[in-house]
Amino acid sequence: MTTLFVATTGGHLAQLDQLSRRIPVDPDSVWVTHANEQSTSLLADRDVEYVPYIGFHSVSGVLKTVPHALRLLRERKITRAVSTGSGIALAYLPYLAARGVECHYIESAARVSGPSATGKLLRRVPRVRTYAQYPHWPDSGWSYGGSSFDIYLPAEQPRELGDTVRVVVTVGTAAEFPFRRLIEPLVPLLAEDGPLSKATERPVEVLWQTGCTPVDGLGIEPRPFMPAAELDAALAQADIVVAHAGTGSALAVLQGGRKPLMALRLERFGEAGDDHQKDLAAELSRRGLATTIADPAELTADDLLGTLNTSVVKTDNPPPFRLVDARTGAVLR
């Protein structure tokens, strides 16, 4: 038996990587995603086939990838497919489900109150089992299997600053949505002799992971895209983390044991396809795992230092993610 794991890079892939460790294991597996610094490092020890990037709401991109699904089924003998989206799921799950493959679509943890466009489409596809990561969705067609955030808990473990204040600013890997509105006000706040340096009486060292955001004229040294392992190491060593409210960034920060300040990408500014980050930030705040930034322009040194009072720890025994047999309704073991 062979499981296909398929997801877009960024938060979708980060979630699938984590959730794959909490579902029943098949003897063989193959991963399908897009190639970038995150995916090539995160999946370095996995069997992976890379496909061209499928853009936001790109029907042509989905259709061009379907022949690859045909080849995978024929050559790799796929018996189960699991995806966390986004559009790449449409290139594989409907085709495979129609040919008898056991298919599971897990909606992103970013979707707190309802499904994405991809989820709405796949909900209508026969023999594709769909899952929410929140138990309160009203649509009975969605099973609740658990959440990507179930393994993280806030802990009152104040962090003592060293000789240098280490800060990571990360806006994820989205290829189409810049987030300069977050970067601009942080530059003077984190500058040499800026408010944070003065408040702590220490120099401030900043890693700027900027994705596709243009930072010309800001006087910073950006790292647009980074290998997952390198970013993870920087997050684990950071004193303070400021991030966009994306699922992949959230998981990476929590994995590093930090409680982030999370800024919302907003559709009206061209920073996201919709405003789903509001729901995710609210959910993480409810769990005590993040603090939401209402307006980046109003951030202060005190806001940054306030995150030092809480760390994030992982449970030693994460609950399994409950996949359900599409034919019998029984939980898979």
Side-chain angles (χ1 to χ4, degrees), residues 290-310:
T291 299
T292 301
I293 300 170
D295 182 352
E298 297 179 357
L299 265 179
T300 67
D302 286 341
D303 294 327
L304 299 174
L305 293 171
T307 64
L308 294 174
N309 295 323
T310 305

Side-chain angles (χ1 to χ4, degrees), residues 52 67 107 119 131 210 224 248 273 280 296 320 322 331:
E107 186 57 273
Y131 303 81
T210 55
L280 176 63
R322 296 178 293 279
V331 175

Side-chain angles (χ1 to χ4, degrees), residues 50-114:
Y50 294 106
V51 296
Y53 179 73
I54 297 177
F56 182 63
H57 288 179
S58 174
V59 175
S60 62
V62 169
L63 294 177
K64 289 178 181 178
T65 311
V66 171
H68 184 244
L70 169 63
R71 182 177 67 76
L72 277 178
L73 180 63
R74 183 177 65 248
E75 296 180 2
R76 307 298 293 265
K77 311 301 181 186
I78 304 299
T79 53
R80 178 173 65 176
V82 182
S83 180
T84 48
S86 54
I88 194 173
L90 297 171
Y92 292 87
L93 297 193
Y95 175 84
L96 295 173
R99 282 149 184 81
V101 174
E102 175 192 311
C103 290
H104 305 273
Y105 174 74
I106 304 170
E107 186 57 273
S108 172
R111 302 292 175 170
V112 179
S113 56

Side-chain angles (χ1 to χ4, degrees), residues 4 54 97 101 112 118 130 148 161 173 223 260 276 313:
L4 168 66
I54 297 177
V101 174
V112 179
T118 298
T130 53
S148 297
L161 293 174
T173 60
R223 295 287 306 277
H276 69 272
V313 297

Side-chain angles (χ1 to χ4, degrees), residues 12 15 24 77 86 90 149 207 214 225 228 230 239 262 278 286 300 307 315 317:
H12 297 280
Q15 288 177 82
K77 311 301 181 186
S86 54
L90 297 171
F149 302 117
L207 170 63
F225 301 100
E230 185 178 348
D239 298 303
M262 304 205 82
K278 291 181 179 179
R286 183 189 69 80
T300 67
T307 64
T315 177
N317 298 299

Side-chain angles (χ1 to χ4, degrees), residues 39 55 71 73 119 138 192 204 206 219 287 291 294 297-298 320:
S39 60
R71 182 177 67 76
L73 180 63
E192 181 180 356
V204 177
V206 188
R287 290 174 177 256
T291 299
E298 297 179 357

Side-chain angles (χ1 to χ4, degrees), residues 208-283:
W208 301 92
Q209 188 275 304
T210 55
C212 68
T213 299
V215 294
D216 48 293
L218 296 182
I220 63 174
E221 297 183 11
R223 295 287 306 277
F225 301 100
M226 298 175 62
E230 185 178 348
L231 180 58
D232 289 346
L235 290 168
Q237 296 170 4
D239 298 303
I240 297 167
V241 178
V242 182
H244 78 135
T247 310
S249 292
L251 289 171
V253 178
L254 298 177
Q255 185 72 15
R258 301 291 169 264
K259 180 182 180 181
L261 278 162
M262 304 205 82
L264 309 178
R265 291 177 176 268
L266 298 177
E267 181 182 16
R268 71 176 183 270
F269 295 124
E271 298 163 347
D274 57 34
D275 289 339
H276 69 272
Q277 287 198 353
K278 291 181 179 179
D279 289 335
L280 176 63
E283 172 65 14

